[in-house]
Amino acid sequence: MAATPLETQIIQLKDTILLLNRTVENLQKSLDAATAREEQYQKTEQNLREQIAYLTNKLFGSSSEKRNAPIEGQLNLFDETEETASAPTPEEFPETEQVVITRKKKTTCKEKFANLPVKKEYIDIPEEERVCSKCGSPLVCVGEEFVRRELEFIPAKVRFIEYYRKAYECRSCKKETGIPHIVKAGNGVFHMLHGMASASTIAWIMYQKYANSMPLARQEKEWKLYGCDISRATMANWIIQNAEEFFKPMCGFFQHHILKRNQAMADETPVQVLHEKGRQAQSKSYMWVFRTGEFLDKPAIVYHYEPTRAGSVADEFFRGYDGYLMCDGFSGYNAVSRVKRTGCWAHARRYLLDAVPPKDRSDYSLPAVQGSIYIDKLFETERKIHQKERTADEIKELRLRDEKPVLEGLWSWLEKQTPVKGSKFYKAVTYLKNQRAYLEMYLEDGLCSFSNNASERCCKAFVIGRKNWLFSNSAKGANASAYVYSVIQTAVANKMNPYHYLCFLLDQAPSSQMSFEELEQLAPWNETVRQEVLRRESAANMVS
């Protein structure tokens, strides 16, 4: 039966509706896809803006990581309870647990220059005027009056020391036999150093380059002012040969000393070596820094050059070590699996601060700022704990009491964060989650460090030098730099004058044939060595 016109029209309308529904569905899918793309573009734009702001701040902004003071009238996450609560009673905080924060006393001028010798210069009356203008009688000195004080600089002096030995003969033997009997003096102390330079000269060149960051090219010009034409190549050879023979054994002993302790720290920084077999001049090599824990006595620091950043370097250095190792989140340290790794809270805080423009670091509505406040609280508590001398057990107890609740709050806050993937804040959150076990490890032992700042300061000494002399010419030069830096920074860590300690070591000439017990007698924490270096320093300060 043929369909009526009305039925045909209804069928056409249904087909039209179906077609329109499909069109609407396709349009909705296109709209959803466009919306998703727009959201992705916005996230990408946000990440790029964040990256531009980060790089701009790195290039032109302040390098300080200090957070600005809180906004006036805005409560701190940790101060709200303290501000609203009544003052604590003495019973709540026993006398043994109180920490008194005192301002550091300003050093006086007299204290700053207490170790300098003093030469008195008298302003006197001419001898012909020492008569009384009233009666003509001679004047008699009755005292002296202080007028002023001046700081005098005495430029360095360079001279040759020529050694001669005397000869003696027996005149009686010569008279009786006609053959003289000659006796000559010995050779004295044999010159063990490479080159004609004395220990003081080589030590000064090393000190200028590795402690004062003065490249050999500048030293070459300075030596000419003293009347000495010493080329930079000659000075480089003196450094390399003497460091290789005399300082390398000390670095081996320092490594042995580090491995005996229960706390160690590590870091690394790039260095460029121009001429290294099988590598281009533009290749990036690394200077590793290993040291004892910052709270241990007898600190030792070892700089170690390697052309690679592979974790096998740290694994080889810490072979046989099973104590605590403080380091950053670099995956290469995973190769040292037998140690107890402690994470660096300074790095964790740095990741959070990188996610916040400097001008917004007081905006508590930003999640990254909130996270940094938790870590700021931990740093503040650490500072208060170490303001007094405490045993490792006391430090551990205070950390568990005062810092563990803050840590629990931080981890609880962290689980609630939903950062944009690829953003700086996403990287910070990921770092905290991945490093959580390492970041909490310091709670196990009171001698563990809270951050790796001590190692970074050792790296900074090398970085400052690198900015001046830019690169090492050869792998031998890089290794020599590592040996000298190790000796200088270990001396500095033990509060010893590095120049005079370099002179002392070059005079003593440590060798690879010496045992660790013998090298221990040359270490900067040895009391006999300390007294000898102080004697040398005092003698150098004497003004004739």
Side-chain angles (χ1 to χ4, degrees):
M1 183 177 179
T4 63
L6 180 59
E7 291 175 342
T8 302
Q9 188 178 6
I10 291 174
I11 292 172
Q12 291 175 348
L13 289 174
K14 287 182 177 180
D15 292 340
T16 302
I17 292 173
L18 181 61
L19 181 61
L20 290 173
N21 286 336
R22 289 176 179 174
T23 303
V24 170
E25 184 179 350
N26 291 335
L27 290 173
Q28 186 62 46
K29 289 181 179 178
S30 299
L31 181 61
D32 292 341
T35 303
R37 286 196 301 272
E38 178 67 20
E39 291 177 353
Q40 185 61 39
Y41 290 151
Q42 289 179 353
K43 291 178 181 179
T44 303
E45 181 186 7
Q46 180 182 347
N47 291 342
L48 290 175
R49 288 181 180 276
E50 187 180 71
Q51 186 71 8
I52 291 171
Y54 169 76
L55 294 174
T56 302
N57 181 59
K58 283 290 183 183
L59 186 60
F60 302 109
S62 171
S63 59
S64 174
E65 296 178 354
K66 290 184 179 180
R67 186 168 54 84
N68 295 334
I71 299 174
E72 186 177 355
Q74 193 171 33
L75 294 178
N76 186 293
L77 293 178
F78 295 97
D79 291 345
E80 183 175 3
T81 305
E82 298 174 8
E83 292 178 1
T84 55
S86 58
T89 62
E91 290 76 12
E92 294 175 345
F93 294 96
E95 182 66 27
T96 57
E97 299 294 344
Q98 286 185 354
V99 178
V100 180
I101 304 175
T102 57
R103 182 182 293 273
K104 187 177 179 180
K105 185 180 178 181
K106 188 175 180 180
T107 308
T108 63
C109 184
K110 185 177 180 180
E111 292 172 337
K112 289 179 181 179
F113 305 107
N115 296 326
L116 290 181
V118 177
K119 178 184 178 182
K120 286 188 175 183
E121 290 283 353
Y122 289 97
I123 306 172
D124 208 344
I125 301 173
E127 189 173 354
E128 62 273 10
E129 297 180 9
R130 297 176 190 171
V131 292
C132 181
S133 59
K134 294 184 177 180
C135 66
S137 301
L139 297 179
V140 179
C141 181
V142 293
E144 59 188 47
E145 180 185 11
F146 176 79
V147 179
R148 68 177 184 274
R149 198 180 195 198
E150 295 178 349
L151 183 65
E152 181 186 25
F153 172 72
I154 303 173
K157 295 180 181 179
V158 182
R159 64 183 179 185
F160 269 118
I161 299 179
E162 295 180 343
Y163 292 89
Y164 297 86
R165 60 177 180 174
K166 292 188 175 183
Y168 297 84
E169 70 171 0
C170 177
R171 296 291 174 85
S172 299
C173 291
K174 184 177 179 180
K175 185 176 181 180
E176 293 178 3
T177 64
I179 301 174
H181 175 63
I182 305 296
V183 179
K184 293 183 179 182
N187 291 327
V189 179
F190 186 69
H191 185 69
M192 297 289 294
L193 304 180
H194 296 273
M196 66 176 181
S198 67
S200 61
T201 300
I202 296 172
W204 183 251
I205 293 171
M206 290 177 172
Y207 176 76
Q208 286 288 76
K209 180 174 181 180
Y210 299 110
N212 294 337
S213 305
M214 182 182 290
L216 296 181
R218 297 182 200 166
Q219 291 195 51
E220 183 179 9
K221 296 177 182 179
E222 187 178 28
W223 280 102
K224 286 184 179 180
L225 297 177
Y226 300 145
C228 300
D229 190 1
I230 307 175
S231 69
R232 67 193 76 173
T234 299
M235 288 187 279
N237 287 331
W238 288 349
I239 291 175
I240 292 173
Q241 294 171 0
N242 288 285
E244 175 73 23
E245 182 166 353
F246 305 120
F247 293 169
K248 185 178 180 180
M250 289 303 302
C251 291
F253 167 70
F254 290 156
Q255 178 181 359
H256 169 74
H257 180 73
I258 292 172
L259 299 183
K260 288 197 309 180
R261 315 304 292 271
N262 197 42
Q263 281 82 20
M265 310 177 79
D267 203 359
E268 71 290 329
T269 187
V271 61
Q272 186 180 7
V273 178
L274 296 185
H275 301 99
E276 192 165 16
K277 188 176 180 180
R279 308 189 77 206
Q280 295 182 348
Q282 297 81 8
S283 301
K284 186 183 291 186
S285 300
Y286 287 88
M287 186 66 75
W288 294 72
V289 178
F290 307 103
R291 60 161 295 157
T292 52
E294 65 176 318
F295 300 127
L296 299 180
D297 60 346
K298 301 179 181 179
I301 302 168
V302 173
Y303 290 75
H304 181 74
Y305 167 74
E306 284 290 342
T308 176
R309 200 188 181 195
S312 57
V313 176
D315 184 52
E316 177 66 24
F317 185 91
F318 286 107
R319 180 170 294 180
Y321 178 75
D322 58 359
Y324 292 94
L325 174 61
M326 162 59 74
C327 55
D328 55 31
F330 171 49
S331 59
Y333 292 109
N334 295 337
V336 196
S337 57
R338 58 194 168 275
V339 302
K340 301 174 185 177
R341 278 181 58 185
T342 55
C344 174
W345 279 100
H347 278 79
R349 182 178 183 272
R350 196 171 300 153
Y351 275 99
L352 288 169
L353 293 181
D354 287 345
V356 185
K359 62 180 180 180
D360 295 332
R361 287 183 181 175
S362 294
D363 185 357
Y364 292 171
S365 64
L366 298 177
V369 175
Q370 297 171 5
S372 68
I373 293 175
Y374 281 100
I375 301 178
D376 287 344
K377 183 63 177 179
L378 293 173
F379 270 102
E380 180 186 355
T381 307
E382 276 290 308
R383 180 178 58 81
K384 290 181 178 179
I385 288 175
H386 288 93
Q387 278 184 335
K388 284 187 176 182
E389 290 188 7
R390 290 187 167 95
T391 65
D393 291 337
E394 290 173 337
I395 294 173
K396 178 181 177 180
E397 182 180 351
L398 288 173
R399 282 174 169 174
L400 292 173
R401 188 194 74 178
D402 299 337
E403 296 181 15
K404 193 171 182 180
V406 181
L407 286 170
E408 291 173 353
L410 173 62
W411 304 134
S412 177
W413 166 87
L414 191 66
E415 293 300 323
K416 300 174 184 176
Q417 304 308 308
T418 56
V420 177
K421 190 172 183 179
S423 65
K424 289 288 182 182
F425 184 53
Y426 177 85
K427 293 179 181 179
V429 170
T430 303
Y431 182 87
L432 283 166
K433 288 182 177 180
N434 292 341
Q435 295 290 311
R436 176 173 177 175
Y438 303 138
L439 290 170
E440 289 184 324
M441 185 66 71
Y442 80 101
L443 295 173
E444 289 189 3
D445 193 316
L447 291 178
C448 287
S449 298
F450 182 70
S451 72
N452 203 29
N453 286 343
S455 292
E456 289 197 343
R457 284 192 292 270
C458 295
C459 274
K460 187 177 181 181
F462 175 81
V463 170
I464 292 173
R466 185 187 63 200
K467 286 182 178 180
N468 286 271
W469 40 259
L470 300 179
F471 51 79
S472 291
N473 191 55
S474 65
K476 282 188 175 181
N479 282 316
S481 298
Y483 301 145
V484 182
Y485 268 115
S486 300
V487 171
I488 288 178
Q489 292 302 317
T490 301
V492 172
N494 285 273
K495 297 180 174 55
M496 181 175 288
N497 186 303
Y499 166 69
H500 291 293
Y501 183 61
L502 288 172
C503 291
F504 169 79
L505 279 187
L506 290 171
D507 282 337
Q508 298 299 316
S511 70
S512 55
Q513 281 72 43
M514 287 185 175
S515 65
F516 287 146
E517 288 73 18
E518 292 174 308
L519 293 172
E520 172 85 31
Q521 303 305 311
L522 304 178
W525 52 80
N526 184 284
E527 188 58 33
T528 303
V529 174
R530 182 176 296 278
Q531 294 302 322
E532 171 61 19
V533 172
L534 287 174
R535 184 196 66 77
R536 290 170 178 251
E537 185 177 359
S538 176
N541 288 334
M542 293 298 293
V543 179
S544 58

